């Protein structure tokens, strides 16, 4: 068995175990494979093992891989920081954009989403750890931003995303993820079905707190190049 096959089996095992502990149906948590720094050939290998959702952080790198893998039925997630002059390519080339934290970005994505494509799936990034220099909208401003974004015609607001400050304390991980879940529940908007939270080191805590998509790189592909 090669390394990715082995790693992926472990990640799937961890997910199943966490789903069981959480009393959630097996397979209810989606797995986004984060392929930043890995070449298209490595992503194709993961695809062959059944993965369909792939996350990328860097636009130019992602576009090159999309071109190489265009025969594959991949669902592309953009999970990196968003510059407003790059929104057109995000709107044209991705199925999901996870890191939206300003209305202006969302408006541009909505205006630039091609009419022959379904509305763009968007998650609002929340600065749950309240780190001053971090991306993400603060909890105080979230409600207003979510309402505005939910009203945009070419966007489908799916839910919330967070990249908490790393912690090796399980209870602390859960506290942070619970904050995001409660923020989603508190919005009271219809049709929000997504909590994009949990990575290689904290996916169990995320699943226990209701993650519907975990974004996993290192645990699948190994330490980044
Ligand atoms: C890199 C990255 C991940 C994956 O992190 P790992 O620790 O390698 O699993 C998930 N989400 C975002 C936003 C990332 O930038």
């Amino acid at each position: 068995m090669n390394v990715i096959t082995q790693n992926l089996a472990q990640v799937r095992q961890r997910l199943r175990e966490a789903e069981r502990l959480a009393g959630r149906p097996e397979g209810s948590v989606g797995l986004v494979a984060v392929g930043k720094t890995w070449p298209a050939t490595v992503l194709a290998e993961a695809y062959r093992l059944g993965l369909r959702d792939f996350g990328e952080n860097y636009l130019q790198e992602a576009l090159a891989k999309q071109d190489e893998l265009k025969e594959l039925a991949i669902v592309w997630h953009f999970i990196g920081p968003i510059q407003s002059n790059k929104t057109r390519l995000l709107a044209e080339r991705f199925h999901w954009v996870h890191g939206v934290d300003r209305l202006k970005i969302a408006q541009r994505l909505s205006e630039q989403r091609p009419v022959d494509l379904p509305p763009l799936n968007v998650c609002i990034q929340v600065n749950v750890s309240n780190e001053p220099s971090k991306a993400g909208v603060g909890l105080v401003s979230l409600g207003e931003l979510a309402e505005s974004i939910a009203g945009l015609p070419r966007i489908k607001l799916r839910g919330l995303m967070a990249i908490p400050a790393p912690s090796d304390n399980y209870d602390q991980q859960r506290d942070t993820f619970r904050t995001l879940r409660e923020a989603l529940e508190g919005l009271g908007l219809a049709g929000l079905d997504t909590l994009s939270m949990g990575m290689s080191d904290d996916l169990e805590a995320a699943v226990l707190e209701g993650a519907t998509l975990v974004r996993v790189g290192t645990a699948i592909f190994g330490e980044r190049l």
Side-chain angles (χ1 to χ4, degrees):
M1 257 208 292
N2 73 20
V3 175
I4 297 181
T5 308
Q6 234 161 21
N7 286 349
L8 186 57
Q10 265 169 27
V11 168
R12 285 177 164 146
Q13 178 59 35
R14 288 172 63 192
L15 282 174
R16 295 304 87 95
E17 179 63 14
E19 285 165 347
R20 194 186 60 75
L21 272 175
R24 301 176 56 186
E26 186 173 313
S28 55
V29 180
L31 177 57
V32 178
V34 176
K36 61 182 173 227
T37 77
W38 296 102
T41 48
V42 169
L43 272 58
E45 171 70 11
Y47 184 92
R48 203 183 57 75
L49 296 168
L51 292 177
R52 291 296 175 268
D53 290 82
F54 288 82
E56 291 289 336
N57 294 62
Y58 309 108
L59 182 59
Q60 294 311 321
E61 179 189 337
L63 296 175
K65 286 188 237 180
Q66 288 177 342
D67 288 341
E68 285 184 74
L69 299 172
K70 60 177 180 298
E71 307 304 328
L72 306 184
I74 290 179
V75 177
W76 291 101
H77 298 250
F78 190 78
I79 61 174
I82 305 169
Q83 294 163 273
S84 60
N85 61 340
K86 301 285 171 60
T87 51
R88 181 173 299 280
L89 283 160
L90 295 180
E92 289 175 355
R93 302 281 296 263
F94 286 81
H95 302 86
W96 286 73
V97 175
H98 289 237
V100 175
D101 61 1
R102 280 173 290 157
L103 182 57
K104 185 182 140 210
I105 295 287
Q107 282 167 334
R108 290 174 66 93
L109 290 170
S110 181
E111 282 160 18
Q112 294 168 343
R113 181 68 169 173
V115 288
D116 57 323
L117 294 179
L120 180 66
N121 297 296
V122 160
C123 290
I124 296 177
Q125 185 173 349
V126 181
N127 185 358
V128 268
S129 313
N130 253 318
E131 299 166 276
S133 60
K134 269 292 188 66
V137 63
L139 286 168
V140 188
S141 317
L142 173 62
E144 195 184 335
L145 179 63
E147 276 193 33
S148 305
I149 292 180
L152 295 171
R154 303 289 299 137
I155 277 181
K156 187 169 170 57
L157 181 61
R158 296 294 296 267
L160 304 180
M161 175 267 204
I163 313 173
S167 162
D168 49 22
N169 180 298
Y170 179 75
D171 293 324
Q172 201 173 321
Q173 293 170 359
R174 283 195 61 167
D175 284 346
T176 313
F177 291 135
R178 185 179 313 123
T179 301
L180 194 70
R181 170 166 54 80
E182 289 173 354
L184 182 78
E185 290 164 0
L187 287 176
L189 290 169
L192 303 190
D193 58 6
T194 302
L195 276 172
S196 166
M197 59 186 195
M199 319 201 303
S200 291
D201 290 334
D202 55 12
L203 66 87
E204 284 86 357
V207 170
L208 266 289
E209 293 300 338
T212 64
L213 287 179
V214 292
R215 310 175 309 266
V216 179
T218 312
I220 297 173
F221 297 115
E223 291 296 330
R224 278 184 275 283
L225 299 174

